[in-house]
Structures are given as structure tokens and as C-alpha cells.
Amino acid sequence: MTPPPTLAAAPTPQATAEQAAPPRAAAVRVLHAPRRPALVLVAHGSRDSAAGAEIARLLDRLRAARPELDIRLAHLGLNAPLLPEVLDGLSGRAVLVPLLLSRGYHAKVDIPVSLAAAPQVSGMIAAPLGPHPLLAEALAARLAEAGWRRGADGRDAVVLAASGSRDAEAALDTEEQARLLALRLGVPVRPGYVAAGGPSVAEAVAGFHADGLRVAVAGYFTAPGDFARLAAAAGGDLASEALGAHDAVVRLVLERYRSCVPALLPAAA
């Protein structure tokens, strides 16, 4: 006689619910990214309203490019707000990007002293903008806007007109920028100075003219002003405007900022 089949016990309501429930999700640990350091753009300052307007345009372009960043403008003199005032209004991490084209007293002394006087700010000072290939790009573009074209006869030359400094490293930086611009343009480029150092812009222009060359003066200034006007009046066949809020300058400021950020953020960031 065949035994009757064994019937499984009907699942209880509790067991049915447990079997139907999806596997419980593993606990997720949420890490909040640290706040990005503020970017403090440190300009020289000028009594020329055109200079202030151009720096304001640069600031607007930076904020448009990186709207998530706290970007502030400070001046070393002549214009408000001054750097100490801006630093007083900050706390936490910040990167100071000097809107300077070479090493010199401002970069080596003025800015570090101001940062040291703001202990509530954990800050780093980026390198000056120059020398850099992006500045050669901006300089070439400004020359093209002024009408410069390299002739087929090989009789073109450029004077890189800079403000000048008594600091030997500043002169080396300007000479390196002249080299980078020469590589970009394919013509001889020599530095000339408006305020300190030598040769003057007029002397550099005259030297090229003596060799029978057409001479363009490239304004190696962050913004328009007296120095740019003096350079333009130094006898060149044409002269370009200051670098200003050129796209390559915007990119370079952000590159200088990014280079300092890793050292300010925790390793987990």
C-alpha cells in the first residue's frame, strides 16, 4: 500500500512577507566633499579707470567660468578693496592668484606678508601668471587684433613691452616670456621696459629698426594704463593692447588656482 504524499506546511504570513521582501540595501556611508578654497585674484591696482574696468571684466569672466567658486578681487594698492581687507573677510581655505606677470617684490614680500597677517585663512599663494605659453597665446591674439601679420620677407620683429623690475628674477621671467612669444610667432622678440631695467622699449625698438626690421610692440601688461600708453608711443610700427580679460588669461588664472588646491584639501577629497 502506497503511503499518502507528505504535504508541506503552508507558509506563515510572516515567512511569506520575508521571502517577498527585496534584499536589504547595504548601509551607504556618505562623504561630504570639502568646500572648495576661495580664489582671491590679487591685482596691482591703478588710478586709470580703464584698468579697473578691464580687471572687472576679467573677474566677471572667471565667475562665469566657475560659478561654484567663491571668487574675490583684491588690490595691492590704489583701489579698494585692498588685500588685507579681503583676507579679513575670509576664513578657511583660499588660493591667492597674483595678477602679476613675473616674480618681484609684490609676489615675494607684499602678498606673503598680507597672508601671514590673516591667521584665520589657510591659504596658498600661486605663482605669478608669467611666464607661460598661454600668455604667448594671448599676446599673439592681441597683436593680430592690432593688425600684425608676419610678412613673407622675414623682416618682422616684436618688442615685448613690460613694466620692468629691479628684481633679477623678474627680468629672467620676462626674457623667458619673450622666448615663448618668439616660438609662437616665428620672429625675433626682445624685451623692453617702461619703468625699470633696460633696454627701454624705445631702445629695443630702435635696435630692431637699425637692423631694417618692421617692429611691433606687444603690450605685456595685465590692463591698460600709463605704462601701456608709454609703450605704444615708443616708436613701433604698431602696438597691441594689454592682455586684459582675454580667454587665455582666464584659463591661466584657473590653472594657477587648480595647481594649489590639492595641497589645501584633505587627502580624502
Side-chain angles (χ1 to χ4, degrees):
M1 183 174 177
T2 304
T6 302
L7 300 177
T12 64
Q14 180 181 358
T16 302
E18 290 175 350
Q19 293 169 1
R24 185 172 297 173
V28 177
R29 184 181 174 197
V30 178
L31 295 175
H32 295 284
R35 183 180 176 185
R36 303 292 287 182
L39 190 167
V40 180
L41 187 68
V42 185
H44 185 278
S46 172
R47 294 185 179 88
D48 193 301
S49 60
E54 191 65 21
I55 298 301
R57 277 191 286 272
L58 175 59
L59 182 65
D60 288 343
R61 294 203 61 195
L62 288 166
R63 286 173 171 166
R66 293 294 301 273
E68 78 282 8
L69 292 181
D70 178 6
I71 303 179
R72 308 189 187 194
L73 174 63
H75 300 90
L76 293 169
L78 301 176
N79 300 110
L82 296 174
L83 179 57
E85 299 168 18
V86 173
L87 293 177
D88 284 346
L90 282 172
S91 63
R93 292 179 288 266
V95 176
L96 281 60
V97 181
L99 199 57
L100 304 172
L101 299 176
S102 63
R103 292 168 290 178
Y105 189 84
H106 291 314
K108 294 178 179 179
V109 179
D110 287 342
I111 299 176
V113 166
S114 293
L115 181 57
Q120 82 283 3
V121 177
S122 175
M124 286 192 67
I125 303 170
L129 299 186
H132 198 280
L134 281 171
L135 293 182
E137 177 183 330
L139 288 162
R142 294 300 190 215
L143 283 168
E145 291 168 2
W148 185 85
R149 299 290 185 273
R150 185 177 66 175
D153 56 6
R155 294 180 53 248
D156 291 291
V158 171
V159 171
L160 183 67
S163 57
S165 170
R166 294 181 179 86
D167 190 295
E169 289 184 319
L172 290 175
D173 289 344
T174 305
E175 290 167 6
E176 173 60 13
Q177 190 62 56
R179 187 188 70 83
L180 292 172
L181 184 58
L183 288 174
R184 177 93 186 187
L185 300 177
V187 303
V189 179
R190 295 175 187 167
Y193 301 98
V194 174
S200 68
V201 178
E203 289 169 342
V205 168
F208 275 137
H209 275 159
D211 293 332
L213 301 178
R214 294 182 296 268
V215 186
V217 175
Y220 192 42
F221 310 103
T222 56
D226 288 340
F227 283 178
R229 284 188 285 271
L230 288 170
D237 298 292
L238 63 82
S240 64
E241 298 290 335
L243 295 163
H246 190 274
D247 178 66
V249 177
V250 174
R251 285 150 50 204
L252 180 53
V253 168
L254 294 175
E255 181 177 310
R256 292 296 197 224
Y257 169 81
R258 285 191 299 267
S259 70
C260 294
V261 167
L264 288 174
L265 292 181

